[in-house]
């Protein structure tokens, strides 16, 4: 680890990522082109320019702002150099020396898109599509945009996701609908997306990412993956500890923890609350008053903060997570110094809309899936889902529209953010269990009562927190599309090192009723 670079806090203004415009729009939808490029960007006033990779040469990438139901087509293009500037461990599956060093594939996180456009880890491509992965299908991706919510897009390349994202490959993708617009929430300049990540720097301003774990061993390859990596500064929208000047009124913030592995508990040092109106998969039924909000990596919180009684104050958004270092206890600063331009007529509704929750009786089966930790051939920590490696046969094959309950049995010492592609998850409960007893007997012995999800988790999620020593149960309807997708821990160092598995959503089998209906009413099935 290099000597820590001491940087002053709250000296750079918060950037707002630019919104991308389509190249064309017609009855089929809107069409965009995005190119991944290498460039340099100043991330702090006192740092030299930092070498980065970004979508359209920006960090974060441009924000997509689209309407529900408007199909979006994106041609993602790789114009990156042939050599990576971060350390690649070629002993990791999917990052072998036989593969091109720089590969990319884009995943729209939380989106419900066909398998050919989901960013499957083995659907990678190199510069100008000269080489492609074994599951690459198309250059132009298709996003149906089925639900209004805060999504984000990022790299998802097998074996090097942690490096490509650390280099800067991430951006917002916001889907709106008429219902949300009818709620009179803060909008325009009073709605601000906050993409939050941690990074470490060398004295010259270049990114620091470790080549080996702190605990050196002659058995380790060089470079070697680290598990995990928490950096020592916090960036918001590509600036280290920025500030933003705000008016004394209500603001809407779409908060995304896009760190590689870091968990963050957000709290305002003024003591005032957040009013959380939405989570990963859209609006909650009612706003939830929160003094603190815990987000594991890739979780989102859609919140309203009312600064109307704070004129003249400077308020710091803190990170009060239990393991936060002194350097990472600050996130950004709000300076309530801009006079009110006009009366604040925006609303904080008492009711946001109905959610059609799933019930246990709808589930056709319950699966028990373990989160386990073993050692790999080099003695490194290896976290696995169900005790299986990526190349093992697909064990979760589910018919389209089937509702299942999954129980995540976490025997490790980490809280894992578990993400399922294209599937909405509804948390049922978390219950502590005797880990040693389970490891010895394979049987669950609970040590406490089951707890329901936190109030701000009572909507649908695409990533859920599975705490160490707990069974976390969720229910999900598998769809709306068929194909091969993945589920994984979203701590990227875990994901790259085998904590990812494929699953498959299969077409429904034709029943006699289905066959008869097709014969009687053929036009309905065209």
């Amino acid at each position: 680890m290099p000597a820590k670079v001491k940087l002053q806090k709250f000296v750079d203004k918060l950037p707002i990522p630019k919104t991308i415009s389509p190249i064309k729009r017609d009855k089929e939808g809107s069409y965009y082109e995005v190119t991944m490029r290498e460039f340099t960007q100043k991330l702090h006033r006192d740092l030299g320019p930092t070498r980065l990779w970004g979508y359209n040469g920006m960090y974060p990438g441009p924000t997509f702002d689209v309407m529900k139901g408007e199909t979006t087509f994106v041609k993602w293009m790789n114009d990156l150099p042939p050599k990576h500037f971060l350390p690649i461990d070629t002993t990791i599956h999917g990052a072998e020396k036989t593969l091109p060093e720089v590969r990319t594939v884009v995943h729209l996180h939380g989106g419900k898109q066909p398998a050919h456009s989901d960013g499957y880890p083995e659907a990678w491509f190199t510069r100008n599509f000269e080489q492609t992965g074994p599951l690459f299908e198309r250059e132009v991706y298709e996003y149906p945009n089925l639900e209004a919510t805060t999504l984000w897009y990022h790299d998802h390349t097998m074996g090097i996701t942690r490096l490509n994202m650390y280099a800067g490959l991430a951006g917002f993708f916001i889907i709106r609908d008429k219902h949300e617009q009818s709620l009179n929430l803060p909008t325009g300049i009073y709605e601000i997306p906050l993409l939050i990540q941690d990074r470490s720097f060398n004295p010259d301003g270049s990114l620091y990412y470790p080549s080996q774990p702190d605990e050196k061993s002659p058995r380790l390859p060089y470079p070697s993956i680290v598990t995990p990596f928490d950096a020592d500064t916090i960036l918001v929208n590509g600036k280290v500890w920025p500030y933003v000047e705000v008016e004394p009124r209500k603001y809407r913030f779409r908060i995304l923890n896009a760190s590689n592995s870091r968990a963050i508990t957000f709290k305002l040092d003024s003591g005032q609350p957040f009013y959380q109106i939405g989570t990963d998969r859209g609006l909650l039924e009612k706003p939830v008053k929160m003094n603190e909000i815990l987000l594991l990596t890739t979780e989102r919180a859609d919140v309203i903060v009312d600064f109307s009684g704070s004129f003249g104050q400077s308020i710091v958004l803190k990170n009060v997570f239990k393991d936060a270092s002194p350097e990472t206890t600050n996130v950004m600063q709000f300076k309530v110094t801009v006079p009110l331009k006009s009366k604040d007529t925006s609303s904080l509704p008492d009711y946001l809309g109905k959610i059609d929750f799933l019930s246990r009786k709808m589930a056709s089966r319950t699966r028990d899936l373990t989160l386990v930790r073993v050692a790999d051939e080099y003695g490194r920590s290896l976290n696995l889902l169900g005790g299986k490696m990526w190349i093992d046969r697909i064990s979760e094959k589910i018919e389209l529209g089937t509702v299942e309950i999954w129980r995540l049995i976490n025997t490790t010492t980490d809280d894992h953010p578990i993400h399922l592609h294209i599937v909405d998850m509804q948390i049922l409960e978390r219950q502590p269990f005797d880990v040693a007893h389970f490891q010895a007997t394979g049987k669950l012995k609970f040590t406490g009562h089951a707890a329901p999800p936190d109030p701000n988790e009572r909507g649908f999620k695409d990533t859920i927190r599975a705490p160490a020593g707990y069974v976390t149960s969720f229910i999900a309807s598998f769809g709306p599309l068929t194909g091969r997708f993945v589920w994984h821990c979203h701590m990227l160092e875990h994901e790259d090192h085998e904590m990812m598995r494929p699953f498959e959503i299969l077409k429904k089998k034709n029943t006699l009723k289905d066959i008869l209906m097709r014969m009687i009413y053929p036009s309905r099935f065209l």
Side-chain angles (χ1 to χ4, degrees):
M1 188 83 175
K4 288 184 180 179
V5 181
K6 293 189 180 296
L7 300 172
Q8 191 173 341
K9 297 175 178 65
F10 318 135
V11 296
D12 287 296
K13 192 171 183 178
L14 175 76
I16 307 299
K18 293 180 181 178
T19 299
I20 189 172
S21 297
I23 291 174
K24 67 176 181 178
R25 180 178 275 125
D26 56 29
K27 63 180 181 179
E28 301 297 324
S30 51
Y31 173 76
Y32 301 77
E33 291 184 354
V34 177
T35 302
M36 291 163 259
R37 298 190 181 95
E38 182 172 287
F39 60 102
T40 61
Q41 183 172 314
K42 279 184 71 68
L43 305 183
H44 186 277
R45 180 193 68 186
D46 301 327
L47 281 176
T50 301
R51 182 185 189 184
L52 297 166
W53 291 355
Y55 296 105
N56 279 357
M58 290 183 277
Y59 168 62
T63 297
F64 286 80
D65 198 321
V66 302
M67 289 297 292
K68 175 182 174 180
E70 178 188 359
T71 303
T72 299
F73 298 92
V74 184
K75 183 174 183 179
W76 302 103
M77 294 175 284
N78 180 341
D79 191 31
L80 296 168
K83 295 293 183 181
H84 216 298
F85 68 94
L86 295 173
I88 296 177
D89 180 350
T90 57
T91 68
I92 298 298
H93 177 74
E96 293 85 357
K97 292 180 180 178
T98 55
L99 296 172
E101 195 167 295
V102 175
R103 313 175 306 285
T104 57
V105 65
V106 184
H107 171 54
L108 177 56
H109 182 112
K112 295 183 176 181
Q113 50 270 340
H116 58 62
S117 298
D118 190 52
Y120 198 78
E122 293 176 319
W124 50 261
F125 53 95
T126 64
R127 188 170 185 164
N128 299 324
F129 302 101
E130 290 170 358
Q131 292 177 268
T132 58
L135 272 76
F136 177 87
E137 291 189 58
R138 56 171 59 191
E139 295 181 5
V140 178
Y141 278 21
E142 177 183 346
Y143 303 118
N145 301 326
L146 299 178
E147 293 155 340
T149 187
T150 306
L151 306 181
W152 66 298
Y153 61 98
H154 61 80
D155 188 79
H156 211 297
T157 308
M158 177 70 74
I160 55 172
T161 295
R162 70 195 185 283
L163 305 178
N164 288 353
M165 274 189 58
Y166 197 80
L169 293 173
F172 273 108
F173 195 110
I174 296 171
I175 306 174
R176 305 182 187 274
D177 66 7
K178 292 181 179 178
H179 169 69
E180 178 197 318
Q181 291 175 337
S182 73
L183 295 174
N184 193 35
L185 301 169
T187 189
I189 62 172
Y190 306 113
E191 178 190 356
I192 301 176
L194 302 176
L195 187 147
I196 298 167
Q197 297 178 307
D198 59 343
R199 295 288 184 269
S200 290
F201 298 96
N202 295 304
D204 63 358
S206 61
L207 289 177
Y208 169 79
Y209 189 90
S211 298
Q212 279 197 311
D214 291 336
E215 303 81 26
K216 301 281 191 300
S217 167
R219 295 178 59 193
L220 291 179
Y222 185 86
S224 172
I225 194 169
V226 297
T227 311
F229 175 58
D230 287 345
D232 58 13
T233 60
I234 302 290
L235 288 78
V236 186
N237 293 352
K239 283 291 184 184
V240 178
W241 297 310
Y243 70 89
V244 62
E245 296 174 316
V246 298
E247 299 173 35
R249 52 157 293 151
K250 293 187 290 295
Y251 279 76
R252 180 182 184 182
F253 298 103
R254 296 178 185 256
I255 304 174
L256 160 64
N257 180 1
S259 304
N260 274 30
S261 293
R262 178 179 294 282
I264 301 175
T265 300
F266 296 94
K267 183 181 178 67
L268 295 167
D269 74 348
S270 58
Q272 65 195 95
F274 306 97
Y275 294 92
Q276 186 165 343
I277 60 172
T279 184
D280 306 345
R281 296 299 309 144
L283 296 174
L284 296 163
E285 285 194 330
K286 297 179 181 180
V288 179
K289 185 178 180 180
M290 302 288 294
N291 292 319
E292 299 179 1
I293 297 176
L294 169 62
L295 296 182
L296 269 58
T297 179
T298 205
E299 290 188 290
R300 280 92 73 206
D302 195 344
V303 306
I304 290 178
V305 177
D306 190 350
F307 297 111
S308 59
S310 305
F311 189 68
Q313 296 181 29
S314 291
I315 298 168
V316 177
L317 180 62
K318 306 285 288 186
N319 171 22
V320 296
F321 187 71
K322 60 186 178 182
D323 292 338
S325 64
E327 295 85 359
T328 56
T329 56
N330 293 284
V331 178
M332 63 176 294
Q333 183 185 56
F334 302 102
K335 294 182 179 181
V336 194
T337 54
V338 180
L340 195 63
K341 294 177 181 175
S342 60
K343 184 180 178 181
D344 180 11
T345 58
S346 66
S347 303
L348 175 59
D350 293 328
Y351 181 71
L352 298 163
K354 188 177 185 300
I355 295 176
D356 294 321
F357 290 105
L358 303 172
S359 65
R360 292 176 185 267
K361 64 182 180 183
M362 298 169 69
S364 61
R365 69 173 290 179
T366 297
R367 295 179 191 259
D368 283 355
L369 295 154
T370 54
L371 313 183
V372 301
R373 179 169 296 154
V374 295
D376 70 6
E377 65 269 37
Y378 300 101
R380 300 177 296 195
S381 173
L382 180 66
N383 295 274
L384 301 173
L385 301 170
K388 295 182 174 63
M389 309 282 274
W390 171 259
I391 60 172
D392 291 334
R393 182 176 298 178
I394 297 176
S395 48
E396 285 71 52
K397 295 188 177 185
I398 304 130
E399 193 173 276
L400 178 66
T402 299
V403 176
E404 292 192 354
I405 293 172
W406 285 21
R407 300 201 303 173
L408 304 174
I409 304 168
N410 188 354
T411 67
T412 76
T413 56
D414 283 326
D415 295 356
H416 296 280
I418 299 299
H419 172 48
L420 271 69
H421 285 209
I422 87 157
V423 174
D424 291 344
M425 298 178 284
Q426 174 191 327
I427 302 170
L428 295 174
E429 62 192 19
R430 298 182 177 97
Q431 190 167 9
F433 70 103
D434 187 327
V435 173
H437 179 80
F438 179 80
Q439 290 173 328
T441 66
K443 296 181 179 179
L444 286 169
K445 179 181 176 183
F446 291 108
T447 57
H449 295 295
D454 295 338
N456 66 327
E457 295 180 308
R458 293 176 188 174
F460 282 103
K461 300 266 294 167
D462 58 50
T463 306
I464 62 172
R465 172 172 48 90
Y470 278 75
V471 176
T472 300
S473 301
F474 70 84
I475 188 169
S477 176
F478 284 79
L481 301 160
T482 60
R484 185 183 297 183
F485 303 95
V486 298
W487 69 289
H488 57 89
C489 173
H490 220 287
M491 296 170 77
L492 300 183
E493 286 76 16
H494 288 178
E495 173 187 332
D496 274 347
H497 196 195
E498 296 292 348
M499 203 172 187
M500 178 164 61
R501 289 281 296 150
F503 72 92
E504 194 166 2
I505 300 177
L506 307 169
K507 291 180 180 178
K508 278 189 173 182
K509 296 174 183 174
N510 282 328
T511 63
L512 179 60
K513 181 180 177 180
D514 293 331
I515 295 169
L516 290 172
M517 289 293 286
R518 285 178 184 274
M519 293 172 62
I520 299 168
Y521 303 107
S523 63
R524 293 185 184 180
F525 298 91
L526 294 177

